[in-house]
Amino acid sequence: MGNRFPARDRFADGAQFIDGRLRPGTSGRTHAVVDPATGRELFTYELAGPADVDAAVAAALAAYPGWADATPGERSDALHRFAAVLAERATEFAEAESLQCGKPIKLSAEFDVPGTVDNAAFFAGAARHLEGASAGEYSGDHTSYVRREPIGVVGSIAPWNYPLQMAAWKILPAVAAGNTIVLKPSELTPFTSLMFAQAAQEAGIPDGVINIVNGAGPDAGERLVGHPDVVMTSFTGSTAVGKRVAEIATATVKRLHLELGGKAPFLVFDDADLEAAVHGAVAGALINTGQDCTAATRAYVQRPLYDTFVSAVAALMETVRLGDPFAPSTDMGPLISHAHRDRVAGIVDRARGYARVVTGGSAPDGADLADGAYYRPTLVVGAAQDSEIVQSEIFGPVLVVLPFDSDDEGIRLANDTPYGLAASVWSRDVYRTGRATREIKAGCVWVNDHIPIISEMPHGGYKASGYGKDMSAYSFDEYTQVKHVMYDNTAVARKDWHRTIFGDRL
């Protein structure tokens, strides 16, 4: 499998992309990228240190005036070319993503890569629509209007679960708005972020506009967030690390966008289409091996459907095929690492003391998967609402199901975690779903589906899931500065309001 993407040849000059070229890191430490499906080392590279972050920020700062002064049409044209390059290389991107993450090739090829291409095409168009409020004489004596201006150098940090899509979500709105950026992906998954930056260069986006530093959080990440020339930080990751990012960013009064953990409820009312809900729960819980902050993790099922739902979900989970991520028939790949697999297994094993594992709850049998970080689709019932498995983000292929009686109880339970990123409600009753979508505290609420995202709509959370939006035109609120411009229309030297400072009314 290691030969499917020749990383050693592709990144022979180093795994840092700064000012338009690859270069090695200078931290003095190396990192081995490991194929989670086999446990084999794929590529070893020199990690970025503070000096590399400084160089990347300097490149972004130097490139900023020219990119910010480009017309919206010029930025749009460059992003359209960028989308075309991404589309041309779709297969290569899908293979690299599956290799470093262990995700099934059908997920990479049919979800990650097309979504990224679409995102690039969307922001190519959105670059021409940085609109402000209409000009008007709001005071009577002045004309006011609003400008949206880029803010400067953005320093972003992305996670390992969707490296390509997260690179797009961080980079595209920033550069469409006229900013330059330094992105630090997870050191576990460097390939597609580097390829993304190289594709942008090929599309004609100037050197220094997009820079990638691959390094560890304490060295590269904290230096990037705290850098005095970085005016904004966008971070996607765990709530615990997000708190640390916020502490560092606050010290330099940076703008901050946080997309943090999730524990999405899956609320099934007693009039729901049971077959649709069962299929939606299994798909929503197992996408990307459950390593998705919006994954369905807590299913609350109204009591008349509860037993049938549990048995049907268990039966469907047992049909899911684990295997080689590059096999077209594979439904679910490994977790990102053996360490993470052990963490997920630990949560499930502790739950055995207070709940029941209906199916899964172990690594799969068979020598062909023994070296990978695989874990079987897992269904848990009988847990209390305040238990670890219900309240904590697992980030693995684990679904816990709980019953409820009244609609009031179901909505209350759905809201009863610190998180508020995503949720779904399942019912044929428009009034029931309407109430649930109003009262569930989450940044996205699906009705009779779970997981789909589109470039035109925002993604972001409530409560401990963070604040700010990725994707959509709403993301420009994160990456632009709003300026009020006000013109005097009277040509009068002595204004009536001056008397409040000196003199009498005229």
Side-chain angles (χ1 to χ4, degrees):
M1 289 177 65
N3 293 327
R4 299 184 198 237
F5 177 77
R8 290 182 179 84
D9 297 334
R10 185 69 181 261
F11 305 123
D13 293 330
Q16 319 301 328
F17 188 81
I18 299 172
D19 202 18
R21 67 180 183 89
L22 291 171
R23 50 186 267 183
T26 62
S27 70
R29 296 190 297 122
T30 59
H31 179 80
V33 180
V34 174
D35 177 359
T38 64
R40 292 201 296 264
E41 292 186 5
L42 300 168
F43 176 64
T44 298
Y45 67 95
E46 297 88 352
L47 288 164
D52 303 299
V53 173
D54 291 348
V57 172
L61 191 63
Y64 173 71
W67 186 247
D69 287 345
T71 67
E74 289 168 339
R75 292 199 293 268
S76 176
D77 288 346
L79 288 171
H80 276 299
R81 294 193 300 270
F82 187 17
V85 173
L86 294 172
E88 290 169 2
R89 297 188 178 169
T91 299
E92 183 182 13
F93 273 100
E95 290 175 350
E97 193 77 338
S98 284
L99 186 61
Q100 66 181 352
C101 299
K103 63 181 65 184
I105 192 67
K106 65 180 180 180
L107 180 64
S108 295
E110 298 177 27
F111 182 74
D112 297 65
V113 175
T116 301
V117 174
D118 185 72
N119 226 229
F122 170 80
F123 280 107
R128 292 179 177 265
H129 297 284
L130 287 168
E131 297 177 348
S134 299
E137 287 67 51
Y138 299 99
S139 78
D141 291 337
H142 306 81
T143 296
S144 290
Y145 66 89
V146 170
R147 290 175 55 87
R148 276 191 181 268
E149 298 177 348
I151 58 176
V153 176
V154 177
S156 292
I157 299 176
W160 47 257
N161 58 334
Y162 291 103
L164 177 60
Q165 290 204 79
M166 292 298 99
W169 286 18
K170 299 302 183 193
I171 290 170
L172 291 169
V175 301
N179 303 290
T180 56
I181 188 168
V182 178
L183 174 70
K184 192 200 89 65
S186 168
E187 65 272 24
L188 302 178
T189 53
F191 297 160
T192 48
S193 298
L194 292 168
M195 293 165 60
F196 192 79
Q198 290 174 316
Q201 182 185 47
E202 183 175 330
I205 294 176
D207 293 349
V209 171
I210 298 172
N211 305 274
I212 308 293
V213 290
N214 281 295
D219 294 332
E222 294 199 4
R223 177 59 180 168
L224 180 61
V225 175
H227 199 289
D229 290 329
V230 170
V231 298
M232 174 189 166
T233 290
S234 177
F235 170 80
T236 295
S238 71
T239 298
V241 178
K243 291 177 181 178
R244 174 60 180 158
V245 168
E247 290 174 1
I248 300 170
T250 300
T252 52
V253 198
K254 285 178 171 46
R255 182 175 295 190
L256 188 59
H257 166 216
L258 298 174
E259 198 266 88
L260 306 177
K263 190 70 178 175
F266 188 98
L267 186 60
V268 183
F269 292 108
D270 57 12
D271 66 335
D273 180 328
L274 184 61
E275 182 182 14
V278 167
H279 282 79
V282 173
L286 302 185
I287 185 172
N288 202 29
T289 317
Q291 299 167 128
D292 187 309
C293 50
T294 64
T297 59
R298 302 177 287 139
Y300 297 100
V301 183
Q302 208 151 20
R303 206 169 292 275
L305 297 183
Y306 176 80
D307 289 338
T308 306
F309 180 89
V310 169
S311 60
V313 166
L316 187 56
M317 278 188 169
E318 289 167 2
T319 71
V320 172
R321 299 164 295 184
L322 279 65
D324 176 359
F326 285 86
S329 61
T330 292
D331 297 320
M332 198 174 87
L335 291 156
I336 188 64
S337 68
H338 289 79
H340 185 58
R341 194 265 307 276
D342 293 345
R343 177 189 171 277
V344 170
I347 294 173
V348 175
D349 289 343
R350 289 191 293 275
R352 296 179 196 276
Y354 56 79
R356 179 169 66 92
V357 177
V358 178
T359 189
S362 65
D365 298 327
D368 54 335
L369 302 181
D371 293 332
Y374 289 91
Y375 196 75
R376 293 168 56 208
T378 299
L379 179 64
V380 176
V381 299
Q385 175 66 15
D386 62 355
S387 62
E388 177 190 30
I389 204 164
V390 174
Q391 292 292 324
S392 298
E393 187 172 33
I394 302 172
F395 228 57
V398 180
L399 176 67
V400 58
V401 185
L402 299 90
F404 71 93
D405 292 304
S406 68
D407 289 18
D408 288 348
E409 182 189 16
I411 293 172
R412 177 181 62 79
L413 291 171
N415 283 327
D416 185 27
T417 70
Y419 300 105
L421 186 59
S424 64
V425 296
W426 299 75
S427 171
R428 292 182 171 95
D429 186 329
V430 66
Y431 297 103
R432 236 176 180 178
T433 58
R435 178 195 174 189
T437 60
R438 291 190 302 272
E439 296 186 10
I440 290 175
K441 305 304 181 187
C444 175
V445 182
W446 292 284
V447 177
N448 295 325
D449 207 346
H450 195 107
I451 286 297
I453 54 175
I454 50 175
S455 298
E456 291 83 358
M457 289 292 114
H459 176 87
Y462 286 26
K463 303 191 295 185
S465 292
Y467 47 81
K469 300 300 179 184
D470 287 310
M471 299 200 299
S472 83
Y474 290 98
S475 64
F476 287 135
D477 292 342
E478 317 301 325
Y479 295 102
T480 57
Q481 194 74 267
V482 174
K483 177 186 289 184
H484 170 212
V485 178
M486 195 174 197
Y487 280 91
D488 170 60
N489 292 331
T490 66
V492 173
R494 297 180 61 189
K495 306 292 194 293
D496 186 51
W497 71 268
H498 292 176
R499 69 184 174 82
T500 63
I501 313 302
F502 57 86
D504 300 318
R505 182 182 292 277
L506 300 175

